Amino acid sequence: MKNKAIWVSISLLSLVGFQSCKEKVNTQNDTVNSGTIKFVADESCQPIVDEEAYVFEKLNPKAKPDILYRTENSALRLLLNDSVRLAILTRELNASEIKILTDRTLPPVSHRFAIDAIALIVNQASKDTLMTVSEIKKMLNGQTKTDINIVFDNPNSSLVRYLKEFSGNKDFKLKNIYAVKTNKEVIKYISQHPQAIGITGFSWLNDPDADYADAVKKVKIVAVAVKDENSKDAPNQYFKPSQTTLALKQYPLIRSLYIINSTGKMGLGAGFAYFVLGERGQRIILRSGILPDSIPQREINIKHSY
């Protein structure tokens, strides 16, 4: 955690160096703990971002972050078109994207702040509770004969991009694979259809909001094994996503969450980034059920009584 704090501090200080040469950036009257800022977040990250923003605002009553939740493609467009200068994504920017921002003399500062899992869910009535990585890839590529529907969120989402990279498939054109609109809709669909498999972010299944909490109770998470991939660590074991299996790298379907700051100033964007990456922000992630990038340490004082 100390090393993380040092790197965050260096990143924040580097923003000060750019501040003097960016008049446009200084037009917003905000500080690290006050004012307003509009930023975009991948909509699949909404549960954890909402929690972080809620606590941040409670601790900083004068701060008003305005969060736009968008698909990954839309979020990237907003960032690269200079509509926003702070983004939360499930991947780092590539070289060409970094160049676009750097050419504006607003080089992005990127940090991973959490590790999430891609969860496969089925209806409580389903008997499909175990799958291997190889079986999942075959299922997504249409190499298995099945009448089970495979459902995920928006076709422009980061989840779909992840699944395409994972399966080596450029596009999902099979009739039994289709998208709804949101992660909530995926969970609700699976809660009502026993002959279906849903793919969603793990964070949506932990402490759900009231509008879909009943649906979460009607689904169960599929355990996944990598035994067909010749795993040396766990060749014959199936794992469900949890903080433990993510930390031990036992659950295979994982993705990192990043906060990308291209504000070029020591303003509210930098303040929110520092909060998420700091001890309090990391503890919020720890309580959420997914894995923080830096696990907060606990100091225990043992007193001897004589």
Side-chain angles (χ1 to χ4, degrees):
M1 178 62 82
K2 289 182 179 179
N3 290 336
K4 170 67 97 175
I6 291 171
W7 279 109
V8 172
S9 299
I10 292 173
S11 299
L12 291 174
L13 288 172
S14 69
L15 292 173
V16 178
F18 292 103
Q19 187 172 356
S20 60
C21 60
K22 304 218 219 344
E23 294 299 327
K24 290 180 77 174
V25 174
N26 288 320
T27 56
Q28 286 185 314
N29 186 23
D30 60 292
T31 69
V32 293
N33 58 5
S34 67
T36 61
I37 183 175
K38 181 181 292 185
F39 71 90
V40 69
D42 186 314
E43 60 188 11
S44 68
C45 303
Q46 184 170 350
I48 187 60
V49 176
D50 277 350
E51 288 186 45
E52 294 280 3
Y54 175 80
V55 177
F56 181 76
E57 290 187 59
K58 289 296 181 182
L59 294 173
N60 302 281
K62 294 182 179 180
K64 302 297 178 185
D66 181 11
I67 309 170
L68 306 175
Y69 290 106
R70 299 289 187 271
T71 64
E72 181 177 80
N73 292 345
S74 178
L76 278 169
R77 281 197 299 270
L78 289 173
L79 180 64
L80 299 178
N81 292 338
D82 202 22
S83 298
V84 297
R85 294 183 180 176
L86 187 77
I88 292 178
L89 303 173
T90 65
R91 69 166 177 86
E92 292 188 282
L93 300 180
N94 59 39
S96 61
E97 292 162 346
I98 293 173
K99 186 178 185 302
I100 291 172
L101 298 177
T102 303
D103 286 348
R104 295 195 192 117
T105 63
L106 291 169
V109 178
S110 176
H111 286 290
R112 186 177 75 170
F113 67 91
I115 299 172
D116 192 13
I118 304 299
L120 276 67
I121 58 173
V122 294
N123 188 280
Q124 284 286 357
S126 175
K127 296 180 180 179
D128 294 321
T129 58
L130 301 174
M131 295 192 74
T132 67
V133 166
S134 179
E135 288 170 342
I136 297 170
K137 289 181 179 179
K138 290 179 180 179
M139 179 182 69
L140 292 172
N141 288 318
Q143 296 172 350
T144 57
K145 293 182 179 180
T146 178
D147 57 353
I148 294 177
N149 289 326
I150 303 166
V151 185
F152 45 74
D153 63 347
N154 194 292
N156 295 313
S157 72
S158 58
L159 178 58
V160 173
R161 188 257 310 160
Y162 175 96
L163 294 172
K164 288 179 180 178
E165 293 175 356
F166 168 76
S167 63
N169 195 338
K170 293 184 179 180
D171 202 2
F172 298 129
K173 296 182 178 179
L174 299 173
K175 293 182 178 180
N176 68 318
I177 300 180
Y178 64 96
V180 283
K181 291 183 179 180
T182 66
N183 284 267
K184 285 184 182 181
E185 289 189 22
V186 172
I187 297 169
K188 289 179 180 179
Y189 182 92
I190 299 302
S191 71
Q192 300 168 2
H193 296 83
Q195 294 297 315
I197 294 176
I199 305 176
T200 185
F202 181 52
S203 61
W204 287 88
L205 302 171
N206 299 302
D207 192 23
D209 292 337
D211 60 336
Y212 73 106
D214 287 341
V216 171
K217 294 177 182 178
K218 297 176 183 178
V219 303
K220 54 188 176 183
I221 299 175
V222 175
V224 179
V226 293
K227 67 177 184 178
D228 287 352
E229 307 295 310
N230 298 316
S231 169
K232 295 179 181 179
D233 298 326
N236 298 305
Q237 290 181 282
Y238 290 80
F239 296 98
K240 291 184 178 182
S242 69
Q243 288 178 334
T244 299
T245 59
L246 293 178
L248 295 177
K249 299 180 180 180
Q250 295 170 323
Y251 186 77
L253 308 179
I254 63 172
R255 62 179 181 176
S256 297
L257 309 185
Y258 297 90
I259 186 163
I260 300 168
N261 184 5
S262 183
T263 60
K265 60 179 285 187
M266 286 291 288
L268 192 59
F272 184 74
Y274 183 81
F275 172 78
V276 172
L277 294 161
E279 184 175 359
R280 282 198 173 184
Q282 292 293 285
R283 287 193 181 279
I284 291 170
I285 295 168
L286 187 65
R287 291 196 300 270
S288 75
I290 64 175
L291 185 67
D293 181 67
S294 300
I295 299 177
Q297 298 178 356
R298 294 181 62 189
E299 294 184 3
I300 300 175
N301 294 322
I302 300 176
K303 296 182 178 180
H304 294 281
S305 58
Y306 299 96

